[in-house]
Amino acid sequence: MDLRFLGKVLQGALIGLGAVLPGISGGVLSVVFGVYRPIMELLSDPVHKWRIRLPGLFPYMIGSAAGFLGVANLLSYVLETYPEPSVCVFVGLIVGMLPSLWREAGEQGRNVGNVILSCVTLVAMISLLFWLQNSQNTVEPGLLSFLFCGFAFALSVIAPGMSFSTILMPLGLYTPFVEGIGHVRPEVLLPGVAGCVVTFICLAKLVNRLFERHYAVMFHGILGIVGAATVMTVPWGSFATSADAASRNLFCMAAGIVTAILLDFMNEKVACFPENETE
């Protein structure tokens, strides 16, 4: 098994882990690792694109499944035992990836309007996420609610930075959904998958077409969403509890930033998803 394949599996595992960890979006990591566009092309036109895209995405799919399913059973324990440090590691990971996201957003040009769009999206998303976090509305787990969970999960892939946990936690659906997936409960898994599939069918083609026609606008909008999700994910209250807690959180963030820089370096040097593999 060569280094490039292992690199893809590792990145896929991080995408799967980011998909289920509260406040983090697997879609963001897929953007940074250069697989977001291939994923969207495959989802928007699977009949014609699977021969082109599936071979290159296969190791990412293996890694994502391992990262997602592997962490689902352990997530409740980790979050209960080390809630702030575990989240801070991923906050640092996203912060460390922001420079590469900025470069990616400007790949086809950048103007003042794009920067303003990022700022407006940032403020709008912070307002929305703040409202969701402070709302007291809860939903009873069931068939329709798990369909909605699948929709939210698919949305976190289609719209990088929109973490499905951020949507589900205020509604009281995050824990039962993740536990149901971790224990492979059909009453949770089947409606969740159905919600994902329907969402991909309805939205993936539209989003892919928007990227083809308005790349800079879409990507700078994503930057605003990523920034807002990152700001709202930081466990600000834990920094004020004690100097030790603040130091621990800062160390975890720094570790995430360093990891992101190393992954970005590996992505460039190893070229885990070069264009000539996907055309």
Side-chain angles (χ1 to χ4, degrees):
M1 189 177 295
D2 60 33
L3 182 62
R4 291 171 65 183
F5 186 88
L6 288 175
K8 294 177 182 181
V9 173
L10 173 61
Q11 290 179 339
L14 288 172
I15 291 171
L17 182 62
V20 73
L21 195 69
I24 309 301
S25 167
V28 172
L29 301 178
S30 69
V31 170
V32 174
F33 295 144
V35 294
Y36 177 73
R37 294 297 301 279
I39 289 173
M40 292 306 300
E41 288 183 16
L42 178 62
L43 291 174
S44 64
D45 190 9
V47 175
H48 298 98
K49 295 292 185 178
W50 73 271
R51 290 181 182 274
I52 301 173
R53 293 304 186 190
L54 193 58
L57 289 172
F58 183 68
Y60 290 95
M61 294 167 65
I62 295 175
S64 294
F68 185 86
L69 296 177
V71 78
N73 280 321
L74 299 175
L75 187 60
S76 297
Y77 170 78
V78 172
L79 290 175
E80 183 178 346
T81 309
Y82 309 105
E84 290 84 11
S86 59
V87 171
C88 284
V89 169
F90 264 75
V91 168
L93 193 62
I94 300 299
V95 171
M97 292 173 178
L98 287 177
S100 60
L101 279 176
W102 178 257
R103 292 195 305 270
E104 186 80 11
E107 191 176 80
Q108 297 185 16
R110 177 183 290 118
N111 56 41
V112 176
N114 298 144
V115 178
I116 293 175
L117 174 64
S118 292
C119 295
V120 171
T121 307
L122 173 69
V123 174
M125 287 304 304
I126 286 178
S127 301
L128 173 62
L129 295 176
F130 183 80
W131 176 78
L132 284 173
Q133 284 189 2
N134 288 277
S135 66
Q136 300 299 317
N137 299 318
T138 58
V139 178
E140 189 70 21
L143 175 62
L144 293 179
S145 60
F146 290 135
L147 278 170
F148 176 78
C149 291
F151 160 78
F153 181 80
L155 189 64
S156 71
V157 176
I158 294 173
M162 181 61 74
S163 169
F164 88 104
S165 61
T166 305
I167 300 173
L168 299 185
M169 276 185 168
L171 300 176
L173 293 174
Y174 177 76
T175 299
F177 184 62
V178 171
E179 287 182 349
I181 291 175
H183 292 89
V184 197
R185 294 173 182 156
E187 67 273 19
V188 177
L189 197 59
L190 293 179
V193 170
C196 280
V197 172
V198 171
T199 305
F200 286 141
I201 291 174
C202 294
L203 296 181
K205 187 178 291 291
L206 172 63
V207 172
N208 190 57
R209 184 161 297 181
L210 287 173
F211 262 101
E212 290 176 351
R213 298 182 179 180
H214 309 285
Y215 179 88
V217 172
M218 291 291 291
F219 223 116
H220 283 85
I222 285 175
L223 274 176
I225 296 175
V226 172
T230 304
V231 170
M232 295 303 294
T233 301
V234 177
W236 299 106
S238 65
F239 283 86
T241 57
S242 68
D244 287 342
S247 300
R248 185 167 55 249
N249 289 348
L250 288 173
F251 175 81
C252 290
M253 284 189 184
I257 292 172
V258 171
T259 301
I261 293 172
L262 292 175
L263 286 171
D264 188 40
F265 178 79
M266 182 186 73
N267 201 39
E268 292 181 359
K269 295 299 182 182
V270 180
C272 286
F273 206 102
E275 288 299 319
N276 58 10
E277 283 188 6
T278 61
E279 296 301 331

